[in-house]
């Protein structure tokens, strides 16, 4: 019998060790803590009320509804680029109450012009259009949509009474084109013309043309609607002067065109109401001698996101001469730093102030008002009511009328000068250039007149005495003055004096195309000036373009370097055979820039002669031929008077 060996007793194993129990307790504790804390968080979450979105009231775009609400029966629309048509519109709407009408002035850009047929819903209603023509027969910026509407729609305007006054310049090829088209088109659509089209000529006396038309227009209105003039010849106040006693100076305009503090915090896009403060990078005199000052400026637009093409226009906002502003303050014994606001008495008007308010007298006279041109007749009439001497009052009233007697007292004065086109080239996208001649001359009364914009630009030094860089408020306006789409098309440019400005941009662009290996057609320039050693603008640059082959032919007419005067049209006639071949056979594009009154007209007559002499056309055929080139965009003008 075998004996079993001794075996030690075996202990029973437990289900959980101490570590397991600890870990289990920890997990359970964490779960309980999470559950309780989540419950407390849910309980403390505030209950938010649903927010009702704030809707900003939109500007009334229905001029019909506005007229009905305010009991108006006459609306005066304006197509205005420089403010003259807008001013005429305001004067007509203000005068309306003297003739049994209630008027309102309106910007067609701010209203839905497709509602025009609804004007017939208002008894004895009338629409007047003060339409300026811009450039070569184009509508102004604010009338572009209305122009498109007239072209594209055939609405029935039966029952709509209308009248049109156009603002133009006879030195331009398309004199008063916008006024003529508006008058004709409204009649075609069934509207009833209650008075003849008025056509103001800025080359003559635009103000006198308007006053003469207005004096016949109102009797026609009275006759048509069977109303009578009130006979009240006193002034109708449009704005009320308010001098605030407690004003936050941070809310006062200091020269901005639209948004307050827009010059301190610049925000694109930049346009007429929001100009860009461009730094002056270059300001140099172009002419070597002579009694004139011709200048070239370059404005730095880096970071502005402004885009432009060769031939576009640059518009600048100059300021008035500080010495004249101070002199006005002295004469009127006024504190020019007083803060004021001119408020429209017509509370329903979209235009609450004539210029940005509140502001100071100094800022208004410096930035917003034209203080150097002779006052318009309506201003003279207003002033007559404040004259204490009966003789002065009578004289001012006569000067305010259209009578020949009254015009004797008004000296000829300068008109606002037209902006010169820039040397604008897309080759240099961060720089835009201006070429201009400084306007300064003696008036018939012995007073020295200085052009506001050109003298202001002349004094824009690159770096000021305190080390700051000079700036210019500006924006770019698109132009139809464009190089041909095909670089191979020949180009003939005619630009005497500062008319050369856009062609410097054209040459830069053609040069860049040539560098890219493109087939660039003949590029010919006809430039004119007084003397080679005096005012041959951009001589060095032009000769370099010619040397590089960018400028195929450089023709310069020096009008006073010889006994008989020579102008660009004489050089055109010299090269008539070659020019006719380029135009008639090679599809050349012609560009004319500069003086509208004489040069552009003489050049056009020269092309008529070339078409007759070389092309064998009759004069009638030659005129039609050039007109056809214009229609096709092969004869482009950018001219001023």
């Amino acid at each position: 019998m075998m004996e079993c060996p001794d075996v030690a007793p075996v202990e029973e194993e437990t289900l959980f060790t101490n570590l397991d129990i600890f870990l289990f307790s920890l997990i359970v504790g964490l779960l309980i803590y999470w559950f309780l804390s989540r419950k407390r968080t849910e309980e403390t979450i505030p209950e938010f009320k649903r927010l009702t979105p704030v809707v900003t009231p939109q500007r009334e775009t229905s001029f019909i509804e506005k007229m009905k609400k305010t009991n108006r029966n006459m609306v005066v629309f304006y197509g205005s680029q420089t403010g003259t048509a807008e001013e005429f519109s305001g004067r007509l709407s203000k005068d309306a109450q003297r003739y049994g009408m209630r008027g309102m002035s309106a910007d067609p850009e701010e209203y839905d012009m497709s509602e025009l047929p609804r004007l017939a819903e208002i008894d004895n209603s009338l629409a007047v259009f003060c339409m300026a023509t811009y450039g070569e027969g184009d509508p102004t910026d604010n009338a572009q949509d209305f122009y498109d509407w007239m072209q594209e729609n055939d609405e029935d305007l039966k029952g709509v009474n209308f009248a049109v006054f156009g603002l133009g310049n006879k030195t331009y090829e398309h004199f008063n084109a916008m006024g003529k088209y508006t008058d004709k088109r409204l009649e075609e659509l069934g509207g009833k013309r209650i008075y003849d089209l008025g056509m103001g000529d800025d080359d003559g006396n635009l103000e006198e043309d308007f006053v003469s038309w207005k004096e016949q227009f109102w009797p026609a209105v009275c006759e048509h609607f069977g109303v009578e003039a009130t006979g009240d010849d006193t002034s109708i106040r449009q704005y009320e002067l308010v001098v605030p006693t407690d004003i936050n100076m941070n809310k006062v305009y200091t020269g901005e065109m639209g948004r307050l503090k827009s010059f301190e915090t610049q925000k694109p896009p930049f346009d007429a109401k929001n100009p860009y403060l461009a730094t002056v990078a270059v300001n140099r005199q172009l002419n070597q001698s002579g009694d004139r000052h011709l200048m070239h400026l370059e404005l730095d637009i880096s970071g502005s996101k402004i885009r432009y093409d060769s031939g576009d226009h640059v518009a600048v906002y100059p300021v008035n001469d500080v010495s004249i502003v101070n002199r006005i303050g002295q004469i009127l014994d006024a504190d020019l730093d007083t803060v004021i606001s001119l408020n429209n008495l017509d509370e329903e008007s979209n235009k609450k102030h004539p210029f940005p308010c509140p502001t100071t007298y100094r800022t208004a006279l410096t930035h917003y008002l034209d203080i150097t041109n002779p006052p318009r007749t309506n201003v003279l009439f207003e002033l007559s009511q404040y004259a204490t001497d009966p003789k002065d009052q009578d004289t001012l009233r006569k000067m305010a009328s259209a009578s020949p007697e009254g015009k004797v007292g008004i000296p000829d004065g300068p008109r606002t000068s037209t902006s010169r086109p820039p040397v604008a080239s897309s080759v240099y996208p961060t720089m835009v250039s201006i070429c201009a001649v400084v306007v300064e001359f003696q008036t018939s009364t012995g007073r020295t007149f200085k052009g506001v914009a050109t003298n202001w630009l002349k004094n824009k030094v690159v770096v000021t005495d305190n080390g700051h860089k000079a700036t210019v408020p500006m924006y770019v306006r698109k132009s139809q003055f464009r190089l041909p789409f095909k670089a191979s098309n020949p180009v003939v440019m005619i630009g005497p004096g500062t008319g050369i400005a856009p062609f410097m941009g054209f040459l830069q662009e053609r040069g860049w195309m040539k560098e890219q290996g493109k087939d660039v057609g003949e590029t010919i320039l006809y430039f004119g000036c007084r003397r080679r050693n005096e005012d041959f603008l951009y001589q060095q640059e032009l000769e370099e373009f010619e040397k590089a082959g960018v400028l195929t032919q450089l023709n310069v007419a020096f009008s006073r370097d010889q006994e008989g005067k020579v102008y660009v049209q004489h050089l055109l006639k010299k090269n008539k055979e070659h020019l006719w071949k380029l135009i008639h056979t090679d599809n050349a594009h012609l560009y004319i820039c500069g003086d509208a009154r004489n040069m552009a007209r003489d050049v056009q007559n020269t092309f008529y002669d070339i078409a007759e002499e070389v092309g064998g056309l009759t004069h009638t055929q030659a005129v039609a031929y050039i007109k056809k080139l214009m229609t096709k965009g092969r004869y482009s003008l950018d001219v001023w008077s």
Side-chain angles (χ1 to χ4, degrees), residues 84 88 165-172 175-176 198-210 376 415 597 601 641:
T84 307
F88 287 177
F165 181 81
L167 295 82
N169 189 309
K170 273 186 178 171
T171 59
Y172 288 75
F175 173 58
N176 256 314
M199 290 197 288
D201 178 19
D202 197 33
D203 189 49
N205 190 322
L206 186 61
E207 170 71 14
E208 189 173 318
D209 293 337
F210 174 67
R376 296 192 184 278
R415 294 182 295 275
R597 186 178 289 106
R601 193 173 294 168
S641 61

Side-chain angles (χ1 to χ4, degrees), residues 257-270:
M257 296 301 126
R259 181 174 56 85
L260 188 67
K261 306 296 181 187
S262 61
F263 289 156
E264 293 179 16
T265 53
Q266 295 255 275
K267 296 177 182 177
F270 298 104

Side-chain angles (χ1 to χ4, degrees), residues 19 29 163 255 272 288 299 323 435 486 497 522 577:
L19 179 62
Q288 293 80 19
L299 307 179
S323 64
C435 173
K486 289 184 178 179
E522 284 193 59
E577 285 84 6

Side-chain angles (χ1 to χ4, degrees), residues 178-455:
M178 190 60 185
K180 291 175 183 175
Y181 178 78
T182 303
D183 183 70
K184 178 187 172 190
R185 185 60 178 151
L186 293 178
E187 184 182 45
E188 288 174 350
L189 294 175
K192 182 175 178 58
R193 182 189 298 107
I194 69 159
Y195 188 61
D196 297 337
L197 166 68
M199 290 197 288
D201 178 19
D202 197 33
D203 189 49
N205 190 322
L206 186 61
E207 170 71 14
E208 189 173 318
D209 293 337
F210 174 67
V211 172
S212 299
W213 178 83
K214 186 164 68 94
E215 289 179 352
Q216 300 300 315
F217 163 75
W218 284 118
V221 171
C222 292
E223 182 180 350
H224 182 83
F225 293 110
V227 295
E228 292 184 3
T230 61
D232 183 6
D233 211 22
T234 58
S235 170
I236 300 169
R237 188 175 294 276
Q238 187 174 358
Y239 295 101
E240 175 189 24
L241 175 66
V242 175
V243 180
T245 53
D246 185 19
I247 186 73
N248 180 353
M249 294 306 291
N250 288 323
K251 302 293 184 182
V252 176
Y253 283 87
T254 57
E256 303 93 331
M257 296 301 126
R259 181 174 56 85
L260 188 67
K261 306 296 181 187
S262 61
F263 289 156
E264 293 179 16
T265 53
Q266 295 255 275
K267 296 177 182 177
F270 298 104
D271 53 28
K273 295 178 181 177
N274 182 35
Y276 177 68
L277 276 181
T279 302
V280 179
V282 175
N283 186 352
R284 63 185 174 95
Q285 185 170 351
L286 290 172
N287 54 316
Q288 293 80 19
S289 60
D291 57 357
R292 298 184 301 164
H293 183 100
L294 295 108
M295 56 188 173
H296 170 88
L297 288 92
E298 293 181 15
L299 307 179
D300 189 346
I301 57 172
S302 302
S304 67
K305 297 183 180 178
I306 293 175
R307 297 183 62 185
Y308 65 92
D309 296 297
S310 302
D312 281 344
H313 297 163
V314 60
V316 300
Y317 284 101
V319 300
N320 286 310
D321 189 330
V322 174
S323 64
I324 299 177
V325 172
N326 290 334
R327 179 66 179 144
I328 291 173
Q330 291 170 2
I331 292 171
L332 298 177
D333 192 24
D335 178 3
L336 295 181
D337 295 316
T338 301
V339 177
I340 61 164
S341 184
L342 282 179
N343 301 335
N344 200 325
L345 291 172
D346 180 1
E347 295 180 357
E348 298 298 329
S349 174
N350 281 353
K351 187 167 185 173
K352 303 302 180 186
H353 314 282
F355 46 76
C357 288
T359 189
T360 63
Y361 285 121
R362 187 183 305 281
T363 299
L365 291 168
T366 303
H367 293 272
Y368 301 136
L369 300 177
D370 181 358
I371 61 175
T372 57
N373 278 340
R376 296 192 184 278
T377 55
N378 66 308
V379 177
L380 292 170
F381 180 79
E382 300 272 357
L383 291 174
S384 70
Q385 297 174 71
Y386 295 92
T388 54
D389 188 326
K391 186 179 178 181
D392 289 343
Q393 188 176 75
D394 184 57
T395 301
L396 285 168
R397 283 181 179 271
K398 285 178 180 176
M399 291 169 69
S401 72
S403 67
E405 183 185 6
K407 298 307 160 198
V408 176
I410 301 180
D412 289 335
R415 294 182 295 275
T416 304
S417 58
T418 308
S419 299
R420 298 296 189 263
V423 187
S425 173
S426 52
V427 177
Y428 303 107
T430 61
M431 288 286 177
V432 64
S433 306
I434 298 172
C435 173
V437 58
V438 176
V439 177
E440 184 172 342
F441 58 87
Q442 293 286 323
T443 67
S444 57
T445 59
R447 181 173 62 91
T448 299
F449 175 82
K450 294 184 176 182
V452 175
T454 55
N455 278 274

Side-chain angles (χ1 to χ4, degrees), residues 48 57 152 235 360 512:
F48 291 104
E152 297 165 4
S235 170
T360 63
W512 178 81

